Amino acid sequence: MIANPIPWPDGARCAVAMTWDVDADSAFNWYNKDTADNLVAAQSWTRYDPLIAIPRLVEQFARRELHLTFFVPGWVIEKYPAQIDLLVKNDHEIALHGYLHERSNEIDKDDELYWLGRGLEAYRKHLGAGPRGWRAPSFAFSKHSLRYLLEAGFEYDSSLMGDDIPYALRDGNASLLEFPVDWTLDDFPHYAHNRDLGYRMPISSPQRAMEVFRSEFDAAWEFGALWISVWHPALSGRLARFKAVLELLDYMCAKGGVWFARLDQVCDHVQKLIAEGRWTPRYETFPLYQSPLPEFSKYR
Ligand SMILES: [Zn+2]
C-alpha cells in the first residue's frame, strides 16, 4: 500500500510519535485579541493545559519510560517556564509552535517572519540551541514558511498532510524533512467544544475518538507508516480522555513491533538512512503555487 516503504529501526512494523501541542492560552489570546482578558472560563479551560495536564502527562509517561515531542509556542515557554523545565528534565523534546499561535497564512510575509523571530528568540533564551522541529500553529503553513524555516536552520516540519511516511520539502538547493500529520489524529475535531474558541464539536465518549486513533494505528502497523498524534493537553489530558490514551498505549505495546520515538529521533533515523543511501524520501519542490491560478483571473 505504501509505494516507497521506509525501514524502521530493529525491524519495527511502524513508528509511533505521540506528539502534543502545548498551546496553553496562546491560541485563545490570538483568536480573541481584544476580549480575551474578560473570557475567564475560557482562560481556565486553556490554562488547564500547563497547570494540570502537563504534570499529569509527565508523571504517567515517566512510569512507562516514554519520551515524546511537545510543540510549544515561544510565548508559552516564556509564561510557563517551570512546565517546560519539567518536560526537559524528563527527556521530552521541545519543538517550536509559533510565538503566540499566529496563523501564518493569514498575516503578511513580513509579519510571519517577525513572529517566527520572536518564537526562536524565546526558545533559545530558555532552552539554548535549537529547535530542530516546527509545527505551524493551526497547520497554517504559508507559501513563505518553508523558506523561512530553512533559513532558520530547522531540520524537520510536522504540519503538512501529504503522505503516510516521512517525505522531504525542497526549495532551491535546501530541504528539510516532513513528518506528515492528518486531521484524523488531531484531537480538536473529536473533542473541542468551547464557544470562545469557535469550536462546537458534539460531545461524545473518548472511546469514539479512540476508535479512530486505534484504527489509524492498526493500519500504520500493517503497512509500515509513521503514526503521529496531534493532541492537546487541555483536551486529551482531561481525566477520562487521558485514561483512554493510556489504554491505547497499552494496546500498542501489547501488539508489539512498534518503534516509539520523539520526532527528533525519527529525524536522526531518516537522515542516517539518506546519508547511508539505504532509503530516499519523496521530494516536493516549493512553493507549489506562486500565486492564485490565472484561470480565475476573470473573477478578480
Ligand atoms: Zn496549536
Side-chain angles (χ1 to χ4, degrees), residues 4 24 42 53 73 85 103 125 158 164 174 178 197 204 217 222 235 241 246 253 257 282 284:
N4 182 28
D85 291 344
R103 278 191 189 229
K125 194 167 173 192
S158 184
D164 310 297
E178 176 60 44
L197 266 86
S204 57
F217 164 73
E222 186 174 351
L235 290 164
R241 294 165 185 168
L246 298 177
C253 290
R282 182 176 67 83
E284 283 203 349

Side-chain angles (χ1 to χ4, degrees), residues 3-20:
N4 182 28
I6 179 169
W8 296 117
D10 302 322
R13 297 286 305 240
C14 67
V16 164
M18 188 178 275
T19 73
W20 296 78

Side-chain angles (χ1 to χ4, degrees), residues 20-24 26-27 31 71 73 97 101 135-139 186 188 230-232:
W20 296 78
D21 291 2
V22 186
D23 295 347
S26 63
Y31 298 139
F71 288 92
H97 191 45
H101 215 276
R135 176 170 291 149
S138 306
F139 303 138
D186 186 319
F188 254 79
V230 183
W231 292 347
H232 301 78

Side-chain angles (χ1 to χ4, degrees), residues 7-296:
W8 296 117
D10 302 322
R13 297 286 305 240
C14 67
V16 164
M18 188 178 275
T19 73
W20 296 78
D21 291 2
V22 186
D23 295 347
D25 36 339
S26 63
F28 158 71
N29 271 286
W30 181 267
Y31 298 139
N32 299 280
K33 294 182 182 67
D34 300 322
T35 53
D37 61 321
N38 209 23
L39 303 175
V40 181
Q43 289 167 17
S44 68
W45 190 86
T46 54
R47 283 163 53 83
Y48 184 98
D49 168 342
L51 302 183
I52 305 300
I54 289 290
R56 173 178 299 152
L57 267 60
V58 166
E59 189 204 347
Q60 293 299 322
F61 294 143
R63 285 189 193 186
R64 288 169 165 75
E65 296 182 5
L66 268 179
H67 308 292
L68 309 179
T69 297
F70 290 77
F71 288 92
V72 189
W75 182 83
V76 174
I77 296 173
E78 290 172 347
K79 197 167 166 63
Y80 302 99
Q83 282 76 4
I84 304 306
D85 291 344
L86 185 64
L87 290 168
V88 172
K89 199 174 131 201
N90 282 272
D91 209 13
H92 298 297
E93 178 195 9
I94 308 292
L96 195 59
H97 191 45
Y99 180 70
L100 243 172
H101 215 276
E102 60 279 6
R103 278 191 189 229
S104 296
N105 56 16
E106 293 179 0
I107 54 181
D108 72 31
K109 64 183 175 45
D110 294 337
D111 285 352
E112 177 178 0
L113 193 56
Y114 167 78
W115 291 115
L116 175 61
R118 290 285 302 265
L120 286 167
E121 191 185 326
Y123 187 103
R124 289 172 183 153
K125 194 167 173 192
H126 195 76
L127 292 155
R132 297 181 67 188
W134 169 264
R135 176 170 291 149
S138 306
F139 303 138
F141 197 99
S142 83
K143 63 182 179 182
H144 308 289
S145 299
L146 178 61
R147 172 52 42 197
Y148 291 160
L149 296 177
L150 289 168
E151 285 168 359
F154 283 92
E155 295 175 64
Y156 76 83
D157 172 71
S158 184
S159 315
L160 305 187
M161 310 189 179
D163 213 322
D164 310 297
I165 55 171
Y167 62 112
L169 312 180
R170 177 158 52 197
D171 186 340
N173 294 323
S175 65
L176 53 69
L177 293 172
E178 176 60 44
F179 301 141
V181 294
D182 184 73
W183 284 105
T184 47
L185 290 177
D186 186 319
D187 57 2
F188 254 79
H190 296 284
Y191 292 144
H193 185 98
N194 188 317
R195 186 178 150 184
D196 297 321
L197 266 86
Y199 272 88
R200 298 270 191 106
M201 303 313 295
I203 292 169
S204 57
S205 77
Q207 280 63 43
R208 284 193 56 187
M210 287 300 149
E211 210 176 290
V212 176
F213 301 151
R214 194 171 52 244
S215 64
E216 291 294 324
F217 164 73
D218 285 335
W221 191 92
E222 186 174 351
F223 301 116
L226 169 59
W227 182 102
I228 303 178
S229 63
V230 183
W231 292 347
H232 301 78
L235 290 164
S236 290
R238 293 255 168 190
L239 286 172
R241 294 165 185 168
F242 193 57
K243 181 168 170 275
V245 166
L246 298 177
E247 288 164 359
L248 176 64
L249 273 172
D250 291 342
Y251 174 82
M252 290 170 164
C253 290
K255 193 153 178 165
V258 178
W259 182 44
F260 291 97
R262 305 185 315 215
L263 286 180
D264 59 346
Q265 294 167 324
V266 177
C267 189
D268 288 340
H269 172 67
V270 178
Q271 286 173 344
K272 191 160 179 275
L273 288 177
I274 296 169
E276 292 174 354
R278 293 173 55 208
W279 183 77
T280 304
R282 182 176 67 83
Y283 282 84
E284 283 203 349
T285 302
F286 276 62
L288 298 175
Y289 299 98
Q290 294 283 0
S291 60
L293 292 181
E295 288 87 338
F296 297 117

